[in-house]
Amino acid sequence: MAAAAKPGIVVLISGRGSNLQSILDRAASGELPVEVRAVISNRPGVYGLQRARDAGVPALVLDHKDFADRTSFEAELIRQIDGFGPALVVLAGFMRILEPGFCEHYRGRMLNIHPSLLPKYRGVHTHERALAAGETEHGVSIHFVTPELDGGPVFLQATVPVLPGDDADTLAARVLVEEHKLYPLAIRWFAEGRVRLDGDTVLFDGAPLAAPKRLDDGA
Ligand code: NHR
Ligand code: GAR
């Protein structure tokens, strides 16, 4: 019997695409049972697009500056994404806020990786803010995307220590190492049907998840 078809994903990026690369690599090795159907960037010329082409994945640019407003940009983005028929939309360093209608369209089938221990430090400049607050621990979260910016249900996190002498760059680099392990794991759980959104609750293996899984406790 033929192997079951792998679920398709579309990855949205805005920049260098190192998280995209970690996904492409693990999809190619078979460790991550998904088919990356397309990569779409809202910024032209970014390195993530080259990574997609190098992996033989369609790389598209949809420049928000070519549209009159967010709504018309997002309508075209939906058209493009849905043309690939993905089971899941993956935000990987995608830097445009998405309107409620877009989030509702992909409710329960769109994930984001955010470089903080949510609910701390939603939005941008998370590493600078964690340092300024004197945190001793920082990290990264994976959540289902809802209209509330970085406010959707979190189901997986990894932590890193903040070390003496850290600046935003050294801290970001330490977090990024964890990001590259965390996102493929989260996507694999989704692809295997282990994690899903039920209303505002994340179900893990069919049971409500009381607190996010942690990579460091054997997730
Ligand atoms: N949209 C919704 N509705 N909900 C979320 O949870 C989203 C989202 C869009 C993107 C990623 C996010 C992050 O992980 C994300 C989550 C961009 C901004 C932002 O302020 C904030 C958070 C995130 C991404 N963007 C500015 C804007 O006006 C532009 C900033 C820039 O271009 O540098 O869209 O942190
Ligand atoms: C990552 O650190 C990701 O967590 C963060 O941007 C970086 C993208 O790097 N995402 C956000 O800040 C979302 N607002 P990458 O392009 O190399 O994957």
Side-chain angles (χ1 to χ4, degrees):
M1 200 171 77
K6 292 177 184 177
I9 70 171
V10 168
V11 184
L12 304 187
I13 63 168
S14 300
R16 78 190 150 175
S18 72
N19 277 288
L20 167 66
Q21 190 70 58
S22 77
I23 294 163
L24 290 168
D25 290 347
R26 288 168 175 80
S29 75
E31 183 188 333
L32 177 58
V34 301
E35 181 191 2
V36 185
R37 299 239 172 106
V39 172
I40 306 177
S41 172
N42 68 307
R43 290 200 190 127
V46 298
Y47 186 51
L49 290 163
Q50 187 60 43
R51 297 182 191 266
R53 287 190 289 264
D54 288 347
V57 170
L60 287 69
V61 174
L62 201 61
D63 189 342
H64 59 273
K65 296 196 186 95
D66 294 339
F67 294 82
D69 49 36
R70 283 186 198 265
T71 307
S72 52
F73 166 68
E74 292 179 13
E76 179 60 14
L77 191 54
I78 287 176
R79 213 181 61 77
Q80 298 270 350
I81 294 168
D82 287 357
F84 292 100
L88 180 70
V89 175
V90 172
L91 306 185
F94 183 72
M95 294 308 291
R96 293 295 293 176
I97 294 171
L98 296 162
E99 292 199 316
F102 188 95
C103 298
E104 291 307 331
H105 183 79
Y106 295 109
R107 190 176 176 89
R109 50 197 187 105
M110 179 160 59
L111 301 181
N112 180 43
I113 186 164
H114 181 74
S116 79
L117 292 173
L118 289 171
K120 287 186 170 177
Y121 311 117
R122 295 179 183 183
V124 295
H125 305 305
T126 58
H127 309 300
E128 288 86 343
R129 287 152 64 206
L131 285 170
E135 300 282 358
T136 57
E137 194 180 63
H138 186 46
V140 51
S141 304
I142 312 286
H143 65 93
F144 281 99
V145 176
T146 66
E148 194 183 349
L149 190 64
D150 297 324
V154 176
F155 63 89
L156 182 60
Q157 294 181 317
T159 59
V160 301
V162 178
L163 300 178
D166 265 342
D167 59 24
D169 289 341
T170 59
L171 184 55
R174 193 172 307 121
V175 172
L176 200 61
V177 172
E178 299 304 309
E179 294 191 36
H180 295 162
K181 299 182 233 166
L182 210 64
Y183 220 176
L185 177 61
I187 295 165
R188 178 152 66 86
W189 283 348
F190 185 91
E192 293 172 343
R194 297 191 69 188
V195 64
R196 64 186 178 89
L197 191 62
D198 180 31
D200 293 327
T201 304
V202 176
L203 300 183
F204 190 83
D205 290 341
L209 193 61
K213 297 270 185 192
R214 289 284 178 128
L215 192 62
D216 38 25
D217 55 38

